[in-house]
Amino acid sequence: VSKLIKLLGKIGPADQLHLVYEAGPTGFGLQRTLNAKGYCCEIIAPSQIPRRAGDRIKTDGRDSIELAECSRADQLSAIWIPDPEDEAIRDLSRRGSITKTGNAHARRLLTEAAWTYRFKARIGKDSLQRQQALPKSIRTMARKAQLRLTQRFAALSARGLQVNKACIAVARELAGAAPH
């Protein structure tokens, strides 16, 4: 990364360069580092890059030129970059499925809790009063989790996934986010 930043410094000042790169297995660290150094850097999903008819040869050099041309022509859509906390939660929840091994009572409690996420995210009067004693950072984190899990349940249901399977998927995500 330091070599890249040194090279970019020779090309021009950070506020005059617009950088794009194709999403890959390396995550978002490069984009975050470049943005912290003052560069405008976007990550592009490979499926969103316009392809010319008959252009089937894919090399890094050709891809770089194509990305630069499409960026200059404003033909690219950048992907959403999660903050490091959201990325950590997402990574925890991509680590497998709920199995029938382990504590049956814990599995049942997770499933029962997951059923509540099929409803619109809201906080009742009693819960709101109980939460007042908690630090604001914890209340914010809990609200983000509630919104994320209700959206997840709705998205899975909208895709046509059987409601029981959607519930188990949300329960798995809930288990991944729970402190160990």
Side-chain angles (χ1 to χ4, degrees), residues 127-155:
S127 294
L128 192 60
Q129 286 177 341
R130 279 194 310 268
Q131 287 183 7
Q132 295 306 315
L134 298 173
K136 183 169 175 46
S137 61
I138 291 176
R139 291 192 313 254
T140 302
M141 187 184 337
R143 182 66 177 159
K144 277 177 73 174
Q146 184 185 34
L147 291 171
R148 183 175 39 79
L149 291 170
T150 55
Q151 290 169 353
R152 175 89 166 129
F153 205 114

Short mmCIF file of all heavy atoms in Angstrom, two decimals, residues 127-155:
data_model
loop_
_atom_site.label_atom_id
_atom_site.label_comp_id
_atom_site.label_asym_id
_atom_site.label_seq_id
_atom_site.Cartn_x
_atom_site.Cartn_y
_atom_site.Cartn_z
N SER A 127 -39.84 -1.46 27.08
CA SER A 127 -38.46 -1.67 26.65
C SER A 127 -37.69 -0.35 26.60
O SER A 127 -36.52 -0.28 26.98
CB SER A 127 -38.42 -2.33 25.27
OG SER A 127 -38.96 -3.62 25.33
N LEU A 128 -38.36 0.68 26.13
CA LEU A 128 -37.73 1.99 26.05
C LEU A 128 -37.32 2.49 27.43
O LEU A 128 -36.22 3.02 27.62
CB LEU A 128 -38.67 2.98 25.37
CG LEU A 128 -38.09 4.31 24.95
CD1 LEU A 128 -36.95 4.12 23.96
CD2 LEU A 128 -39.16 5.20 24.34
N GLN A 129 -38.18 2.28 28.42
CA GLN A 129 -37.85 2.69 29.79
C GLN A 129 -36.68 1.88 30.34
O GLN A 129 -35.80 2.43 31.00
CB GLN A 129 -39.08 2.53 30.70
CG GLN A 129 -40.14 3.58 30.46
CD GLN A 129 -41.37 3.36 31.31
OE1 GLN A 129 -41.60 2.26 31.81
NE2 GLN A 129 -42.17 4.41 31.45
N ARG A 130 -36.65 0.57 30.08
CA ARG A 130 -35.54 -0.25 30.55
C ARG A 130 -34.23 0.16 29.90
O ARG A 130 -33.18 0.12 30.52
CB ARG A 130 -35.81 -1.73 30.24
CG ARG A 130 -36.71 -2.41 31.23
CD ARG A 130 -36.66 -3.93 31.08
NE ARG A 130 -36.83 -4.41 29.72
CZ ARG A 130 -38.01 -4.75 29.18
NH1 ARG A 130 -39.11 -4.65 29.88
NH2 ARG A 130 -38.07 -5.18 27.95
N GLN A 131 -34.29 0.58 28.64
CA GLN A 131 -33.09 0.93 27.91
C GLN A 131 -32.47 2.25 28.37
O GLN A 131 -31.29 2.50 28.13
CB GLN A 131 -33.37 1.03 26.41
CG GLN A 131 -33.57 -0.30 25.76
CD GLN A 131 -33.76 -0.15 24.26
OE1 GLN A 131 -33.62 0.91 23.69
NE2 GLN A 131 -34.10 -1.26 23.61
N GLN A 132 -33.23 3.09 29.01
CA GLN A 132 -32.72 4.41 29.42
C GLN A 132 -31.51 4.29 30.34
O GLN A 132 -30.67 5.18 30.35
CB GLN A 132 -33.82 5.22 30.10
CG GLN A 132 -34.97 5.59 29.18
CD GLN A 132 -34.52 6.29 27.90
OE1 GLN A 132 -33.69 7.19 27.93
NE2 GLN A 132 -35.04 5.84 26.77
N ALA A 133 -31.40 3.20 31.09
CA ALA A 133 -30.27 3.01 32.00
C ALA A 133 -29.01 2.55 31.27
O ALA A 133 -27.92 2.61 31.83
CB ALA A 133 -30.64 2.00 33.08
N LEU A 134 -29.15 2.13 30.01
CA LEU A 134 -28.00 1.64 29.25
C LEU A 134 -27.26 2.78 28.57
O LEU A 134 -27.85 3.81 28.23
CB LEU A 134 -28.47 0.64 28.18
CG LEU A 134 -29.15 -0.63 28.69
CD1 LEU A 134 -29.72 -1.41 27.53
CD2 LEU A 134 -28.16 -1.46 29.47
N PRO A 135 -25.95 2.61 28.33
CA PRO A 135 -25.19 3.63 27.60
C PRO A 135 -25.73 3.79 26.17
O PRO A 135 -26.23 2.84 25.56
CB PRO A 135 -23.76 3.07 27.56
CG PRO A 135 -23.71 2.05 28.64
CD PRO A 135 -25.09 1.52 28.80
N LYS A 136 -25.60 5.01 25.64
CA LYS A 136 -26.12 5.31 24.31
C LYS A 136 -25.49 4.41 23.24
O LYS A 136 -26.17 3.99 22.31
CB LYS A 136 -25.87 6.78 23.98
CG LYS A 136 -26.45 7.20 22.64
CD LYS A 136 -26.42 8.69 22.47
CE LYS A 136 -26.86 9.16 21.12
NZ LYS A 136 -28.03 8.62 20.55
N SER A 137 -24.21 4.07 23.38
CA SER A 137 -23.55 3.23 22.38
C SER A 137 -24.21 1.85 22.30
O SER A 137 -24.38 1.30 21.21
CB SER A 137 -22.07 3.10 22.69
OG SER A 137 -21.88 2.48 23.95
N ILE A 138 -24.61 1.31 23.43
CA ILE A 138 -25.27 0.00 23.45
C ILE A 138 -26.67 0.10 22.84
O ILE A 138 -27.08 -0.76 22.07
CB ILE A 138 -25.31 -0.57 24.88
CG1 ILE A 138 -23.89 -0.93 25.32
CG2 ILE A 138 -26.24 -1.79 24.97
CD1 ILE A 138 -23.78 -1.40 26.74
N ARG A 139 -27.39 1.17 23.18
CA ARG A 139 -28.74 1.36 22.61
C ARG A 139 -28.66 1.51 21.09
O ARG A 139 -29.48 0.94 20.36
CB ARG A 139 -29.41 2.58 23.23
CG ARG A 139 -29.77 2.39 24.68
CD ARG A 139 -30.70 3.48 25.20
NE ARG A 139 -30.30 4.82 24.84
CZ ARG A 139 -29.78 5.71 25.67
NH1 ARG A 139 -29.60 5.39 26.94
NH2 ARG A 139 -29.46 6.91 25.27
N THR A 140 -27.65 2.23 20.61
CA THR A 140 -27.48 2.42 19.16
C THR A 140 -27.15 1.10 18.48
O THR A 140 -27.71 0.78 17.42
CB THR A 140 -26.36 3.45 18.90
OG1 THR A 140 -26.70 4.68 19.54
CG2 THR A 140 -26.16 3.69 17.42
N MET A 141 -26.25 0.33 19.07
CA MET A 141 -25.89 -0.97 18.50
C MET A 141 -27.10 -1.91 18.46
O MET A 141 -27.32 -2.60 17.47
CB MET A 141 -24.76 -1.61 19.32
CG MET A 141 -24.22 -2.88 18.70
SD MET A 141 -22.96 -3.77 19.68
CE MET A 141 -22.26 -2.57 20.75
N ALA A 142 -27.89 -1.91 19.52
CA ALA A 142 -29.07 -2.77 19.57
C ALA A 142 -30.09 -2.37 18.51
O ALA A 142 -30.69 -3.22 17.84
CB ALA A 142 -29.71 -2.71 20.96
N ARG A 143 -30.26 -1.07 18.31
CA ARG A 143 -31.21 -0.59 17.31
C ARG A 143 -30.75 -0.97 15.90
O ARG A 143 -31.55 -1.40 15.07
CB ARG A 143 -31.38 0.93 17.44
CG ARG A 143 -32.37 1.52 16.48
CD ARG A 143 -33.77 1.06 16.76
NE ARG A 143 -34.69 1.72 15.85
CZ ARG A 143 -35.87 1.28 15.56
NH1 ARG A 143 -36.33 0.20 16.16
NH2 ARG A 143 -36.65 1.91 14.73
N LYS A 144 -29.44 -0.81 15.64
CA LYS A 144 -28.91 -1.20 14.33
C LYS A 144 -29.13 -2.69 14.08
O LYS A 144 -29.50 -3.10 12.98
CB LYS A 144 -27.42 -0.87 14.24
CG LYS A 144 -27.11 0.56 13.87
CD LYS A 144 -25.63 0.84 13.87
CE LYS A 144 -24.92 0.22 12.71
NZ LYS A 144 -23.50 0.61 12.62
N ALA A 145 -28.91 -3.49 15.11
CA ALA A 145 -29.10 -4.94 14.97
C ALA A 145 -30.57 -5.26 14.71
O ALA A 145 -30.89 -6.10 13.86
CB ALA A 145 -28.61 -5.66 16.22
N GLN A 146 -31.46 -4.58 15.43
CA GLN A 146 -32.90 -4.82 15.23
C GLN A 146 -33.30 -4.48 13.80
O GLN A 146 -34.01 -5.26 13.15
CB GLN A 146 -33.71 -3.99 16.23
CG GLN A 146 -35.20 -4.25 16.14
CD GLN A 146 -36.02 -3.34 17.03
OE1 GLN A 146 -35.67 -2.18 17.23
NE2 GLN A 146 -37.10 -3.86 17.56
N LEU A 147 -32.86 -3.34 13.31
CA LEU A 147 -33.19 -2.94 11.94
C LEU A 147 -32.61 -3.92 10.92
O LEU A 147 -33.27 -4.31 9.97
CB LEU A 147 -32.69 -1.53 11.67
CG LEU A 147 -33.41 -0.41 12.43
CD1 LEU A 147 -32.69 0.92 12.23
CD2 LEU A 147 -34.86 -0.31 11.98
N ARG A 148 -31.34 -4.31 11.13
CA ARG A 148 -30.69 -5.23 10.19
C ARG A 148 -31.39 -6.57 10.14
O ARG A 148 -31.64 -7.13 9.07
CB ARG A 148 -29.22 -5.40 10.59
CG ARG A 148 -28.42 -6.28 9.67
CD ARG A 148 -26.94 -6.31 10.03
NE ARG A 148 -26.64 -6.36 11.44
CZ ARG A 148 -26.71 -7.46 12.20
NH1 ARG A 148 -27.04 -8.60 11.67
NH2 ARG A 148 -26.41 -7.42 13.48
N LEU A 149 -31.78 -7.11 11.31
CA LEU A 149 -32.40 -8.43 11.34
C LEU A 149 -33.83 -8.40 10.80
O LEU A 149 -34.25 -9.36 10.14
CB LEU A 149 -32.35 -9.00 12.76
CG LEU A 149 -30.93 -9.36 13.23
CD1 LEU A 149 -30.92 -9.68 14.72
CD2 LEU A 149 -30.36 -10.50 12.43
N THR A 150 -34.57 -7.32 11.05
CA THR A 150 -35.92 -7.25 10.46
C THR A 150 -35.83 -7.11 8.95
O THR A 150 -36.62 -7.72 8.22
CB THR A 150 -36.74 -6.07 11.05
OG1 THR A 150 -36.01 -4.87 10.90
CG2 THR A 150 -37.09 -6.31 12.49
N GLN A 151 -34.85 -6.35 8.47
CA GLN A 151 -34.65 -6.23 7.02
C GLN A 151 -34.23 -7.56 6.41
O GLN A 151 -34.65 -7.92 5.32
CB GLN A 151 -33.63 -5.15 6.71
CG GLN A 151 -34.13 -3.75 6.99
CD GLN A 151 -33.03 -2.70 6.93
OE1 GLN A 151 -31.86 -3.02 6.80
NE2 GLN A 151 -33.41 -1.44 7.03
N ARG A 152 -33.40 -8.30 7.13
CA ARG A 152 -32.94 -9.61 6.66
C ARG A 152 -34.12 -10.58 6.54
O ARG A 152 -34.26 -11.28 5.54
CB ARG A 152 -31.89 -10.16 7.63
CG ARG A 152 -31.41 -11.55 7.33
CD ARG A 152 -30.25 -11.52 6.39
NE ARG A 152 -29.62 -12.82 6.38
CZ ARG A 152 -29.35 -13.47 5.26
NH1 ARG A 152 -29.61 -12.94 4.10
NH2 ARG A 152 -28.79 -14.65 5.31
N PHE A 153 -34.96 -10.61 7.58
CA PHE A 153 -36.14 -11.48 7.56
C PHE A 153 -37.04 -11.11 6.38
O PHE A 153 -37.50 -11.98 5.63
CB PHE A 153 -36.91 -11.38 8.88
CG PHE A 153 -37.74 -12.59 9.20
CD1 PHE A 153 -37.42 -13.37 10.29
CD2 PHE A 153 -38.82 -12.97 8.42
CE1 PHE A 153 -38.17 -14.50 10.61
CE2 PHE A 153 -39.57 -14.09 8.72
CZ PHE A 153 -39.25 -14.86 9.82
N ALA A 154 -37.28 -9.80 6.20
CA ALA A 154 -38.15 -9.35 5.11
C ALA A 154 -37.56 -9.70 3.75
O ALA A 154 -38.28 -10.14 2.84
CB ALA A 154 -38.37 -7.85 5.22
N ALA A 155 -36.24 -9.52 3.60
CA ALA A 155 -35.60 -9.82 2.32
C ALA A 155 -35.66 -11.31 1.99
O ALA A 155 -35.93 -11.69 0.85
CB ALA A 155 -34.14 -9.35 2.34
#
